[in-house]
């Protein structure tokens, strides 16, 4: 589904990522872990087109998408969520999800301005679809509330609903459990599995080991910009290099 | 030979306006570096410097005293502005900061208009106006004042930013405000300082150029914008970049006015501004840094 | 009542109020002021598309207004073009100019965008002043004909009132449509988080340029209407101060609110008329208003009304419990 080859990123003299390669199987849940500063978020930002890379390639279903802009990647079915939750705060919950359907609709500035019949029909369709997504993530009751007034956990859920809206092939989640309480984290684990079962491949960067060990089938460990290990949760837990890297940080 | 003399003359006069632009641009850079704000009211400090000096001179204070009073007036305005409008601002988005500094500039300009009317006022030259001949070109004593004060200010501020604790703390804020706060630097105080320095330097620029340009309540707009242009060419630096930016702008403008068209003189500065913003928004000296999104 | 119905009903009520306004203000002076409220509303609505919807500032919008006015003015006064044709050409060519300049300018953000648009505005203003052969320079361009339909000429305030408000109401309706649409949502998304909008698949660069162009075209139309109504134009109407005034209108009314833009435009047009003593000093009042609104009423008047209404309904509910 997603393949990263020899990804390298330099910030001035600092090497944030050094020749990282990994591949993500279709329909899997993959976790990327590592101590702070390991380059996890940098890797996400490059794959989703927010940062430019120094060298290396990204393949999405076999097509080379290295250096694609985020909006083009979205069109190809790659979406993401953010560590700090990036919502459209002044728009309602429903409208947020409707923006998520941007790539699944096509009305332009003229048909929108003039309320063309095609636009009215499309509007009804994406409204219905957005409502379905809210149902999927359990947020039906709050569709008309401004997103900015949601509590943090809810905001996170909304961001996931928005990313899921277009029915993406693959979703990258940047620390989805950060700031959630244990109850919300459990719900999140269920949601992640539900998303995968609905046909979206999931990759997550996460610090919450319990969550990662619980939901991920494969785990990639980064340390100081390099790939340290890759394998099933059990293997990773027993890997001496990984243990050393984590202990070294403490 | 005649053409050469002409060019030399243009460059000389470009140098002196350029020095002024550099000082004003310097004021922009100082505030920008410690707060991330482009202060659209910067030009108004320049205007205040000139007009307040004339005001105090008309009250029969000697020139040096008038200059000090004028700088104090402008600085006080800067402090009040920072205290009343910048510090209490809760939602400090770039858009709001642009608008609030524009609001302040309108208010200061309006205040000056209430106080001194719409007429232009003249500040006499500091030491006569007999031209001094250099090769084929002439300059006025006021030009010498401008050069020496500019050099003095730049040298003094270099000392300040490189040597003094406060200066170093302000530079730390420029690099990383949060980190500066964490190591115990009073960031709010540094912001206030930057407004003080910037308004003082701005008003001084306005004072030394006043004898050459006449002063009225609305001179700040153009001067401010050109100072910004100088700062942008120099990459918003607290140092040499802005000086070179100012001189470059002054000379280009003066040559453009001389050889292309005097009536489009002001347009030249803004065309340069647009070109720089479009193609090299990080200034013409800085090397490309890895971009962050 | 659904949102869509409320939207239509609200607009119809507003339009009706506008259309009958002249019957209450037969006084030609007030009518004349209301003509200007119409033009300024048209401009504020146009700027609101860019500033209020997409969150992108322009401190040079007076330039587009001026381009519309001068292209119409020069073509009709000096070259006897048909005013309607001139208006069309003015709108199209201003749109093309905005489209071309839009790509490099809208790459910039925040303060830099403000400075670049300001610089653009000043360059255009200088050109109006200096191309004396074409524009008449600072002393202005007289003799611009009124618009007319066959024998019917828009040559007095009441006719101009309906002419201009027809355009203004149309622009308002279009803005309202856009607000609750795929494109409107994408624009507001850019306003709130550009990164998230891109990740959601919004082509931010193109959309910014599109809305900038649309905003410029409407502003140019306002300029043409202004030129043909006044029959005389001079550069002073299209300078930096007017750009700031337009921004102030949008901010006072409330970013993103179409009716807010009307309120802002109405207030800033009427204020100097009622406060004659302020004559020269009205600009100070703008400055003060701008600062106070940003500091204490970030949603503008529209936002203020909304919170007031919400508070009212909440306290009523509590009272009923």
């Amino acid at each position: 589904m997603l393949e990263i080859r020899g990804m390298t990123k330099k910030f001035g003299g600092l090497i944030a990522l050094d020749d990282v390669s990994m591949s993500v199987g279709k329909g899997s849940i993959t976790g990327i872990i590592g101590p702070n500063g390991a380059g996890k978020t940098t890797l996400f930002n490059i794959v989703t087109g927010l940062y430019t890379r120094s060298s290396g390639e990204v393949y999405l279903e076999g097509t080379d998408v290295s250096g694609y802009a985020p909006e083009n990647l979205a069109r190809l079915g790659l979406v993401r969520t953010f560590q700090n939750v990036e919502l459209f705060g002044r728009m309602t919950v429903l409208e947020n999800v409707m923006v998520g359907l941007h790539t699944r609709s096509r009305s332009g500035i003229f048909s929108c301005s003039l309320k063309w019949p095609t636009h009215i029909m499309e509007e009804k369709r994406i409204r219905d679809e957005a409502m379905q997504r809210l149902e999927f993530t359990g947020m039906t009751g709050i569709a008309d509330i401004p997103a900015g007034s949601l509590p943090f956990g809810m905001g996170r859920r909304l961001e996931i609903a928005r990313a899921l809206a277009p029915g993406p092939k693959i979703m990258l989640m940047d620390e989805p459990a950060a700031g959630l309480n244990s109850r919300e984290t459990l719900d999140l684990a269920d949601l992640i599995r539900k998303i995968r079962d609905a046909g979206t491949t999931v990759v997550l960067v996460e610090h919450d080991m319990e969550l990662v060990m619980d939901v991920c089938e494969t785990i990639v460990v980064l340390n100081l910009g390099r790939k340290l290990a890759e394998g099933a949760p059990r293997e990773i837990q027993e890997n001496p290099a990984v243990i050393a890297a984590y202990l070294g940080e403490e | 030979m005649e053409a050469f003399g002409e060019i030399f003359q243009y460059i000389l006069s470009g140098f002196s306006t350029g020095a002024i632009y550099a000082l004003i641009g310097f004021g922009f850079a100082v505030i920008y570096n410690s707060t991330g704000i482009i202060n659209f009211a910067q030009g108004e400090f320049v205007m205040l410097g000139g007009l307040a000096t004339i005001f105090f001179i008309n009250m029969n204070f000697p020139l040096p005293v008038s200059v000090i009073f004028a700088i104090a007036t402008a600085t006080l305005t800067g402090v009040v502005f920072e205290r009343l409008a910048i510090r209490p601002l809760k939602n400090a988005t770039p858009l709001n900061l642009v608008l609030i500094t524009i609001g302040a500039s309108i208010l200061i300009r309006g205040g000056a208009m209430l106080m001194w009317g719409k007429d232009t006022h003249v500040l006499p030259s500091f030491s006569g106006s007999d031209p001094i001949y250099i090769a084929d070109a002439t300059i006025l004593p006021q030009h010498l004042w401008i050069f020496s004060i500019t050099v003095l200010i730049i040298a003094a501020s270099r000392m300040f930013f490189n040597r003094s604790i406060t200066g170093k703390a302000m530079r730390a804020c420029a690099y990383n405000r949060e980190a500066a706060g964490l190591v115990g630097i009073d960031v709010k105080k540094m912001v206030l300082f930057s407004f003080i320095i910037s308004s003082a330097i701005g008003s001084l620029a306005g004072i030394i150029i006043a004898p050459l340009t006449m002063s009225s309540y609305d001179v700040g707009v153009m001067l401010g914008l050109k100072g910004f242009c100088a700062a942008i060419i120099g990459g918003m630096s607290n140092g040499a970049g802005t000086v070179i930016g100012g001189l470059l702008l002054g000379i280009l403008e003066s040559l453009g006015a001389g050889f292309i068209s005097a009536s489009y003189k002001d347009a030249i500065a803004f065309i340069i501004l647009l070109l720089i913003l479009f193609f090299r928004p990080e200034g013409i000296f800085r090397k490309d840094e890895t971009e962050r999104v | 009542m659904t949102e869509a119905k409320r939207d239509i009903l609200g607009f119809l009520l507003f339009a009706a109020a506008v259309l009958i306004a002249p019957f209450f203000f037969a006084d030609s002076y007030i009518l004349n002021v209301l003509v200007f409220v119409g033009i300024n509303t048209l401009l504020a609505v146009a700027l609101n598309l860019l500033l209020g919807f997409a969150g992108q500032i322009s401190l040079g919008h007076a330039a587009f207004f001026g381009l519309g006015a001068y292209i119409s003015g020069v073509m009709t006064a000096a070259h006897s073009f048909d005013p309607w044709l001139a208006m069309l050409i003015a709108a199209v060519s201003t749109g093309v100019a905005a489209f071309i300049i839009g790509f490099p300018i809208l790459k910039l953000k925040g303060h830099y965008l403000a400075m670049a648009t300001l610089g653009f505005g000043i360059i255009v203003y200088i050109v109006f002043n200096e191309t004396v052969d074409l524009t008449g320079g600072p002393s202005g361009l007289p003799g611009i004909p009124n618009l007319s339909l066959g024998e019917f000429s828009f040559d007095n305030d009441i006719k101009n009132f309906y002419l201009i408000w027809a355009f203004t109401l149309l622009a308002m309706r279009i803005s309202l449509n856009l607000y609750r649409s795929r494109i409107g949502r994408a624009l507001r998304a850019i306003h709130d988080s550009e990164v998230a909008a891109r990740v959601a698949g919004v082509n931010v660069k193109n959309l910014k340029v599109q809305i900038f162009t649309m905003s410029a075209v409407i502003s140019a139309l306002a300029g043409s209407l202004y030129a043909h109504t006044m029959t005389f134009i001079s550069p002073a109407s299209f300078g930096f101060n007017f750009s700031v005034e337009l921004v102030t209108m949008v901010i006072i009314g409330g970013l993103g609110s179409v009716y807010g833009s009307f309120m802002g435009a109405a207030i800033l047009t009427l204020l100097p008329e009622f406060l004659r003593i302020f004559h020269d000093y009205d600009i100070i009042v703008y400055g003060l208003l701008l600062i106070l609104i940003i500091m204490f009423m970030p949603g503008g008047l529209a936002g203020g009304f909304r919170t007031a209404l919400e508070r009212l309904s909440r306290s009523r509910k509590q009272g009923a419990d």
Side-chain angles (χ1 to χ4, degrees):
Chain A
M1 170 62 65
L2 181 73
E3 202 182 338
I4 297 165
R5 283 190 209 152
M7 190 51 67
T8 302
K9 173 69 181 177
K10 296 178 189 143
F11 285 113
L14 183 85
I15 298 177
L17 281 178
D18 189 4
D19 196 25
V20 173
S21 299
M22 60 179 282
S23 76
V24 174
K26 191 172 174 149
S28 67
I29 301 177
T30 306
I32 301 177
I33 61 171
N36 282 325
K40 297 164 298 196
T41 298
T42 308
L43 184 65
F44 262 26
N45 283 343
I46 291 176
V47 171
T48 51
L50 292 176
Y51 283 3
T52 54
R53 69 211 189 282
S54 303
S55 64
E57 291 109 47
V58 181
Y59 294 87
L60 185 65
E61 289 192 309
T63 342
D64 185 355
V65 295
S66 327
Y68 274 39
E71 54 269 27
N72 296 330
L73 290 167
R75 212 155 292 144
L76 296 175
L78 182 147
V79 297
R80 73 169 285 176
T81 62
F82 292 88
Q83 189 179 334
N84 298 322
V85 182
E86 292 276 344
L87 291 174
F88 308 127
R90 277 170 286 197
M91 299 165 70
T92 66
V93 167
L94 181 66
E95 283 179 323
N96 266 268
V97 181
M98 287 170 86
V99 174
L101 285 160
H102 193 81
T103 55
R104 291 282 170 274
S105 46
R106 46 182 53 241
S107 295
I109 200 164
F110 285 109
S111 61
C112 286
S113 302
L114 303 175
K115 272 204 175 166
W116 230 238
T118 51
H119 170 251
I120 294 174
M121 274 157 63
E122 186 180 85
E123 192 74 3
K124 190 176 160 1
R125 174 175 66 79
I126 59 175
R127 184 172 289 268
D128 292 346
E129 270 180 51
M131 283 310 279
Q132 281 170 21
R133 294 299 162 185
L134 286 178
E135 229 163 276
F136 184 81
T137 44
M139 313 182 76
T140 336
I142 50 170
D144 293 323
I145 287 178
S149 63
L150 290 181
F152 189 79
M154 274 296 197
R156 185 135 257 164
R157 207 160 253 270
L158 172 57
E159 200 190 21
I160 295 172
R162 184 180 69 199
L164 278 181
K169 290 181 184 138
I170 180 164
M171 172 147 94
L172 278 58
M173 304 171 88
D174 195 353
E175 298 202 22
L180 298 190
N181 61 34
S182 53
R183 172 75 219 276
E184 288 172 326
T185 308
L186 282 178
D187 291 348
L188 177 69
D190 288 340
L191 182 59
I192 291 174
R193 272 188 283 260
K194 209 166 131 194
I195 293 167
R196 193 266 314 271
D197 295 343
T200 300
T201 306
V202 178
V203 184
L204 52 134
V205 158
E206 188 47 72
H207 274 299
D208 186 326
M209 284 306 145
E210 228 168 291
L211 175 70
V212 174
M213 296 300 163
D214 179 19
V215 300
C216 296
E217 289 135 13
T218 315
I219 294 174
V220 174
V221 187
L222 295 182
N223 187 32
L224 301 171
R226 289 176 201 232
K227 189 164 94 175
L228 197 63
E230 179 170 6
R234 181 62 55 80
E235 294 163 36
I236 296 297
Q237 273 170 324
E238 289 161 2
N239 187 318
V242 174
I243 295 167
Y246 269 91
L247 288 180
E249 195 205 16
E250 305 301 302
Chain B
M1 203 55 215
E2 199 177 304
F4 175 77
E6 219 176 317
I7 292 176
F8 187 58
Q9 179 70 61
Y10 290 139
I11 290 179
L12 261 186
S13 58
F15 238 76
S16 76
T17 41
I20 297 292
Y21 298 158
L23 280 183
I24 302 170
F26 199 76
F28 272 105
V30 168
I31 290 186
Y32 180 77
N33 284 331
S34 64
T35 62
I37 299 171
I38 300 285
N39 177 19
F40 280 77
Q42 192 63 31
E44 309 313 325
F45 299 135
V46 182
M47 172 274 292
L48 274 182
L51 281 181
T53 309
I54 295 169
F55 171 74
F56 288 119
I57 283 194
N58 289 342
M59 286 174 69
N60 292 323
F61 286 105
L63 178 72
V65 179
S66 304
V67 168
I68 290 168
F69 280 3
I71 294 176
T73 308
T75 310
L76 195 67
T77 312
V79 170
V80 170
F81 169 41
E82 197 274 338
R83 273 296 162 97
L84 291 188
I86 301 289
R87 191 176 290 201
L89 188 61
K90 279 186 222 95
N91 186 14
T93 59
L95 182 63
N96 281 350
L97 287 167
V98 167
L99 295 169
I100 212 139
T101 58
I102 285 185
S105 87
I106 295 173
L107 212 57
I108 297 174
R109 201 181 316 146
M113 184 172 76
L114 277 179
M115 182 92 191
W116 294 300
K118 285 185 158 184
D119 307 327
T120 50
H121 304 261
V122 189
L123 181 65
S125 294
F126 294 0
S127 42
S129 45
D130 301 327
I132 302 164
Y133 291 87
I134 304 176
D136 288 342
T138 58
I139 57 171
L140 299 170
Q142 191 63 31
H143 287 131
L144 296 179
W145 276 104
I146 291 175
F147 293 141
S148 36
I149 288 180
T150 305
V151 170
L152 214 67
I153 293 287
I154 300 293
S157 58
R158 273 200 88 91
M159 291 267 286
F160 173 75
F161 282 113
N162 289 330
R163 300 278 165 80
S164 78
I165 294 287
T166 315
K168 282 180 185 167
M170 287 179 69
R171 272 172 57 211
C173 290
Y175 286 123
N176 187 333
R177 229 176 309 164
E178 274 165 42
L182 285 177
V183 299
I185 294 172
D186 186 347
V187 178
K188 279 186 178 166
K189 205 161 152 195
M190 297 305 136
V191 171
L192 182 63
F193 277 157
S194 71
F195 271 84
I196 291 176
I197 294 176
S198 162
S199 50
I201 294 182
S203 61
L204 190 59
I207 295 168
I208 55 181
I209 191 142
L212 296 180
T213 57
M214 312 256 246
S215 297
S216 66
Y217 77 102
D218 59 354
V219 293
V221 183
M222 269 303 175
L223 284 172
L225 292 173
K226 287 179 182 172
F228 173 79
C229 186
I232 261 291
I233 295 175
M236 278 291 163
S237 83
N238 271 3
T242 302
V243 178
I244 299 174
L247 295 179
L248 208 62
L249 177 63
I251 291 168
L252 282 174
E253 210 182 72
S254 159
L255 289 174
F259 291 109
I260 302 172
S261 152
S263 40
Y264 286 100
K265 178 171 150 270
D266 289 335
I268 291 168
F270 293 107
I271 289 168
I272 295 173
L273 175 69
L274 285 187
L275 291 177
I276 299 264
L277 283 176
F278 289 172
F279 298 110
R280 288 205 61 98
E282 69 282 358
I284 59 174
F285 305 114
R286 252 179 235 188
K287 280 199 200 130
D288 266 324
E289 283 175 21
T290 22
E291 103 294 6
R292 295 243 172 120
V293 184
Chain C
M1 190 159 44
T2 65
E3 192 106 46
K5 274 185 191 151
R6 219 183 310 155
D7 174 45
I8 298 283
L9 190 68
F11 182 73
L12 287 178
L13 283 175
F14 180 82
V18 167
L19 294 180
I20 59 169
F23 298 108
F24 295 97
F25 302 106
D27 176 359
S28 76
Y29 169 68
I30 294 181
L31 202 57
N32 182 266
V33 173
L34 293 181
V35 169
F36 282 100
V37 172
I39 290 177
N40 286 340
T41 303
L42 186 54
L43 287 165
V45 165
L47 182 58
N48 184 46
L49 291 174
L50 183 70
L51 179 61
F53 284 24
Q56 307 301 306
I57 195 172
S58 166
L59 290 177
H61 248 54
F64 297 124
F65 178 49
L67 282 171
Y70 269 104
I71 294 172
S72 272
V74 170
M75 287 181 74
T76 52
H79 302 284
S80 326
F81 273 77
D82 177 72
W84 294 105
L85 180 64
M87 194 160 155
L88 183 69
I89 293 173
V92 171
S93 43
T94 305
V96 171
F99 184 76
I100 292 169
I101 195 168
F103 281 98
I105 243 178
L106 291 160
K107 267 200 316 202
L108 303 164
K109 287 180 188 145
H111 300 99
Y112 282 15
L113 176 64
M115 274 293 179
T117 48
L118 197 168
F120 166 73
I122 293 187
I123 292 171
V124 172
Y125 175 72
I126 291 172
V127 171
F128 291 154
N129 270 296
E130 299 301 334
T131 48
V132 179
D133 294 341
L134 202 61
T135 63
S139 48
L141 181 70
I144 303 167
N146 286 121
L147 284 160
S148 57
L149 286 171
E151 294 295 296
F152 184 85
S153 172
F154 292 93
D155 53 6
N156 65 23
D157 282 337
I158 183 97
K159 292 176 187 166
N160 280 319
F161 176 90
Y162 284 110
L163 171 71
I164 281 161
W165 273 99
F167 277 88
T168 305
L169 287 172
L170 184 67
M172 288 178 79
R173 189 58 250 169
I174 283 176
S175 288
L176 289 166
N177 288 349
L178 207 52
Y179 189 83
R180 282 181 210 295
S181 74
R182 174 175 182 265
I183 297 296
R185 280 188 300 271
L187 290 166
R188 284 146 61 207
I190 295 173
H191 193 162
D192 281 353
S193 168
E194 196 167 322
V195 173
R198 293 186 72 189
V199 170
V202 176
N203 189 330
V204 169
K205 202 199 317 171
N206 285 354
L207 202 53
K208 277 183 185 173
V209 173
Q210 281 184 21
I211 204 69
F212 185 69
T213 307
M214 182 166 167
S215 177
V217 168
I218 298 175
S219 304
L221 283 174
S224 298
L225 289 170
Y226 174 79
H228 292 300
T229 309
M230 297 288 291
T231 70
F232 168 82
I233 50 176
S234 74
S237 318
F238 313 109
F240 173 52
N241 278 345
F242 191 61
S243 286
V244 173
E245 205 177 314
L246 289 176
V247 171
T248 312
M249 289 175 194
V250 176
I251 301 287
I252 288 180
L255 285 178
S257 164
V258 177
Y259 295 110
S261 296
F262 159 72
M263 285 190 271
I267 288 172
L268 283 207
T269 317
L270 296 177
L271 203 63
E273 302 295 334
F274 287 121
L275 303 173
R276 269 284 161 216
I277 26 162
F278 278 130
H279 191 46
D280 274 348
Y281 306 117
D282 47 2
I283 189 88
I284 304 180
V285 179
Y286 300 160
L288 205 59
L289 271 177
L290 198 55
I291 293 183
L292 292 179
I293 292 268
I294 298 229
M295 292 189 67
F296 302 112
M297 212 172 165
L301 287 179
F305 274 136
R306 217 170 296 134
T307 24
L309 278 178
E310 273 163 24
R311 259 185 221 157
L312 201 71
S313 70
R314 209 175 304 147
S315 64
R316 242 192 233 156
K317 259 182 212 157
Q318 274 164 358
D321 282 346

